């Protein structure tokens, strides 16, 4: 009860409420700008959280995450250009409604569905994270190694549609995780004599470089173009009528349930959940004209992609395994505050954990209130030229990198990772596995070596431990399934 009282004191303090409001407002804009998204927004805000308490910094970041998932639907509906990959399915019926002069109604459906999805995902997080964390407290080194390996293989297999490229990205992230002082032997490795690397590759430099700086380079390529298409007065305050709520609520709930469960699976997220939810809505309502401006075609994917936020936070808090690229960035923020996500966090920082659990629900309510009254001017931000966006992102990225340790070395490192991220995106290599492998590298390596020490060098410990055996089997399945699916698709095309 005392923890709950302390949590509510944090949530409803002036600093806590301002963190949620700021995160939600920034998140809507970041999500609405095509090419950005929650992971880039979170990585850019991390330097500003240094002077904040861990609780307020998490409120800021999770509010941005939730709001950015919704914000992607604004440009998807008004311009047929999804602001985030998770809003891709919304584009089909959303822009069709805009062409019919119903863009404002489409935005109202999107906002309402996103709020319902976020609330259901948040409730699922509230009830699932604690039991899973208690179970995870019974894990030994072999179990933790298998859990970390599952996180790596599932994300590598499900990022970018290419198993080989995903695994290459994960391998690169593991190589980066090995730089610094050996956690077992205590000797420096792969530092090339640079003292700046003794503590390892700075997490912030990797996050900002791969996500933000690389995106600024891509935006600079299309400098001079504008987003265009949203005229003054085209968007008004958005609300649904009671009749519309009744018609769409079941679709919102089903989309939310799908998004929550798919969000729990590491590496799936809103990119896939939005299409699964839309497909389910089409099967359940075969007589509706999906693709021609059908409200259910907006409600289902929008509820699902916001529900994945709560789902993706479940493995992060319970197991210490990020469930999405954005939660991997949030793990980086926790590490920078001296915290290590996982089941121990419930015992060591209970107020912080419950602040995240309840803060996600508060963020949904604040997101709804801000978006419903501010969309008339927020929607016009998407008209900014790409050159302006590129310059702004690059400036904030450099300032954030330098603020880490006040070293020019970190700035050059960030720019270097920006170039790497740019090349990876141009060659269609997924960036997410690199970040997740860097985050999970310490967990995988230390527990692998510790397990071998306790078993006196016997690899049998990984197969005799039941939890380890289950997650190793899941890891193998997560690699074999995409291979089987790829071969099946080739056979279908050949036929």
């Amino acid at each position: 009860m005392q923890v709950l009282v302390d949590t509510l004191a944090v949530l409803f303090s002036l600093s806590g409420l301002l963190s949620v409001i700021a995160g939600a407002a920034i998140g809507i804009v970041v999500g609405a700008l095509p090419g950005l998204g929650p992971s880039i927004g979170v990585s850019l805000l991390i330097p500003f959280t240094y002077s904040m308490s861990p609780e307020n910094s998490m409120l800021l970041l999770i509010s941005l995450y939730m709001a950015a998932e919704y914000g992607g639907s604004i440009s998807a509906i008004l311009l047929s250009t999804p602001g985030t990959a998770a809003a891709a399915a919304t584009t089909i019926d959303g822009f069709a409604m805009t062409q019919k002069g119903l863009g404002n109604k489409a935005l109202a459906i999107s906002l309402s569905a996103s709020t319902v999805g976020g609330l259901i995902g948040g409730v699922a997080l509230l009830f699932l994270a604690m039991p899973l964390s208690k179970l995870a407290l019974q894990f030994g080194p072999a179990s933790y190694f298998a859990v970390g390996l599952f996180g790596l293989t599932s994300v590598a297999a499900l990022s970018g549609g290419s198993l080989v490229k995903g695994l290459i990205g994960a391998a690169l992230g593991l190589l980066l995780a090995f730089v610094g002082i050996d956690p077992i032997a205590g000797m420096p490795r792969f530092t090339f004599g640079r003292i700046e690397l003794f503590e390892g590759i700075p997490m912030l430099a990797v996050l900002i470089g791969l996500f933000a700086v690389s995106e600024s380079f891509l935006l600079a390529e299309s400098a001079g173009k504008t987003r265009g298409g949203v005229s003054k007065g085209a968007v008004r305050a958005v609300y649904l009528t009671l009749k519309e709520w009744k018609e769409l609520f079941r679709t919102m709930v089903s989309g939310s349930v799908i998004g929550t469960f798919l969000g729990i699976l590491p590496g799936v997220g809103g990119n896939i959940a939005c299409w699964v939810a839309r497909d389910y809505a089409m099967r359940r309502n075969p007589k509706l004209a999906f693709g021609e401006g059908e409200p259910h075609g907006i409600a289902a994917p929008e509820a699902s992609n916001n529900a994945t936020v709560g789902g993706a936070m479940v493995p992060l808090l319970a197991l210490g395994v990020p469930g999405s690229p954005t939660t991997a960035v949030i793990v980086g923020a926790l590490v920078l505050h001296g915290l290590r996500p996982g089941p121990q966090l419930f015992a060591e920082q209970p107020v912080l954990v419950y602040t995240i659990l309840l803060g996600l629900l508060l963020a949904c309510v604040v997101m709804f209130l801000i978006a419903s009254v501010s969309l008339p001017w927020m929607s016009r931000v998407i008209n900014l030229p790409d050159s302006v966006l590129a310059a702004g992102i690059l400036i904030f990225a450099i300032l954030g990198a330098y603020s880490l340790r006040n070293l020019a070395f970190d700035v050059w490192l960030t720019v270097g990772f920006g170039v790497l991220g740019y090349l990876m995106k141009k060659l269609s290599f997924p960036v997410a596995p690199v970040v997740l492998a860097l985050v999970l590298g310490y967990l995988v390596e230390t527990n692998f070596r510790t397990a071998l020490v306790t078993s006196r060098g016997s690899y049998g410990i990984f197969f005799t431990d039941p939890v380890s055996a289950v997650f190793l089997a899941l890891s193998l399945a997560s690699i074999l399934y995409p291979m089987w699916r790829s071969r099946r698709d080739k056979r279908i095309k050949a036929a």
Side-chain angles (χ1 to χ4, degrees):
M1 183 59 69
Q2 185 59 45
V3 170
L4 181 60
V5 171
D6 293 342
T7 301
L8 294 176
V10 172
L11 282 176
F12 294 101
S13 65
L14 179 60
S15 59
L17 288 174
L18 287 176
S19 297
V20 174
I21 293 171
I26 296 171
I28 294 173
V29 176
V30 167
L33 293 170
L36 301 187
S39 52
I40 294 175
V42 170
S43 64
L44 284 174
L45 275 191
I46 287 178
F48 297 95
T49 67
Y50 288 160
S51 58
M52 301 171 64
S53 67
E55 290 80 9
N56 285 339
S57 65
M58 285 299 105
L59 286 175
L60 177 69
L61 298 181
I62 63 175
S63 299
L64 187 150
Y65 184 13
M66 178 65 73
E69 288 291 353
Y70 154 70
S73 67
I74 298 175
S75 53
I77 291 170
L78 298 178
L79 303 177
S80 188
T81 306
T84 62
T90 306
T91 305
I92 301 173
D93 286 287
F95 188 65
M97 288 188 69
T98 298
Q99 290 178 313
K100 293 179 179 180
L102 300 173
N104 212 73
K105 184 58 64 179
L107 290 171
I109 296 169
S110 169
L111 176 59
S112 301
S114 296
T115 304
V116 171
L119 289 172
I120 291 178
V123 170
L125 172 65
L126 190 63
F127 285 99
L128 292 177
M130 181 69 78
L132 282 176
S133 69
K134 289 181 178 179
L135 176 64
L137 284 173
Q138 311 301 319
F139 289 5
S143 301
Y144 271 116
F145 162 74
V147 169
L149 185 64
F150 171 64
L152 287 177
T153 55
S154 59
V155 169
L158 294 167
S159 294
S162 172
L163 173 63
V164 175
K165 290 182 177 180
L167 291 175
I168 290 174
L172 176 59
L174 283 177
L175 288 175
L176 296 175
F178 295 152
V179 175
I181 302 295
D182 187 312
I184 304 296
M187 298 294 291
R189 57 187 184 182
F190 309 119
T191 60
F192 304 100
R194 301 288 308 200
I195 298 177
E196 298 93 339
L197 294 176
F198 275 29
E199 295 180 357
I201 299 287
M203 178 69 68
L204 190 63
V206 178
L207 296 176
I208 295 180
L210 289 179
F211 285 100
V213 176
S214 65
E215 193 61 38
S216 71
F217 293 159
L218 291 172
L219 288 170
E221 283 188 335
S222 55
K225 296 181 181 179
T226 59
R227 300 297 178 189
V230 184
S231 60
K232 187 175 181 179
V235 178
R236 304 177 301 279
V238 289
Y239 302 101
L240 289 182
T241 64
L242 182 60
K243 180 182 178 181
E244 290 167 334
W245 271 106
K246 290 180 179 179
E247 291 177 354
L248 298 172
F249 189 70
R250 286 184 63 187
T251 299
M252 293 179 186
V253 172
S254 63
S256 302
V257 173
I258 290 171
T260 300
F261 283 102
L262 291 181
I264 293 174
L265 301 176
V268 181
N271 302 6
I272 297 175
C274 65
W275 294 105
V276 175
R278 186 176 186 273
D279 181 67
Y280 178 76
M282 291 174 64
R283 294 175 183 273
R284 199 165 63 86
N285 304 283
K287 296 182 180 180
L288 298 179
F290 282 87
E292 300 177 12
E294 171 54 49
H296 289 268
I298 300 173
E302 281 305 302
S304 69
N305 60 36
N306 273 80
T308 59
V309 175
M313 295 292 290
V314 171
L316 185 151
L317 292 177
L319 305 174
V321 176
S324 69
T326 307
T327 51
V329 181
I330 292 176
V331 169
L334 286 170
V335 172
L336 289 170
H337 278 278
L339 303 170
R340 178 66 63 175
Q344 295 86 356
L345 198 64
F346 283 80
E348 297 170 0
Q349 298 286 339
V351 175
L352 173 63
V353 172
Y354 278 96
T355 298
I356 295 173
L357 298 179
L358 298 178
L360 207 60
L361 300 175
L362 179 62
C364 291
V365 177
V366 172
M367 176 190 74
F368 180 84
L369 295 175
I370 292 177
S372 61
V373 298
S374 62
L375 268 177
W377 61 269
M378 273 194 175
S379 62
R380 304 191 68 195
V381 175
I382 59 181
N383 286 327
L384 287 173
D386 286 342
S387 57
V388 175
L389 294 178
I393 291 172
L394 194 58
I395 290 171
F396 278 108
I398 291 174
L399 289 175
Y402 186 75
S403 66
L404 177 62
R405 298 183 294 184
N406 295 329
L407 295 175
F409 178 83
D410 291 338
V411 175
W412 289 113
L413 201 60
T414 301
V415 173
F417 278 108
V419 173
L420 175 64
Y422 170 79
L423 293 175
M424 291 181 68
K425 290 177 180 179
K426 295 292 285 186
L427 296 173
S428 300
F429 276 83
V431 173
V434 180
V435 176
L436 293 178
L438 178 62
V439 171
L440 294 173
Y442 178 84
L443 172 74
V444 170
E445 182 194 7
T446 54
N447 285 287
F448 176 75
R449 295 169 68 178
T450 303
L452 288 179
V453 170
T454 56
S455 67
R456 298 183 179 180
S458 172
Y459 290 92
I461 189 174
F462 299 109
F463 304 100
T464 55
D465 184 304
V467 175
S468 174
V470 169
F471 277 100
L472 286 177
L474 290 173
S475 300
L476 183 62
S478 66
I479 293 177
L480 294 179
Y481 174 70
M483 295 172 63
W484 171 81
R485 185 177 58 186
S486 176
R487 290 185 178 181
R488 182 198 61 184
D489 293 341
K490 288 180 179 179
R491 285 198 302 267
I492 293 174
K493 290 181 179 179

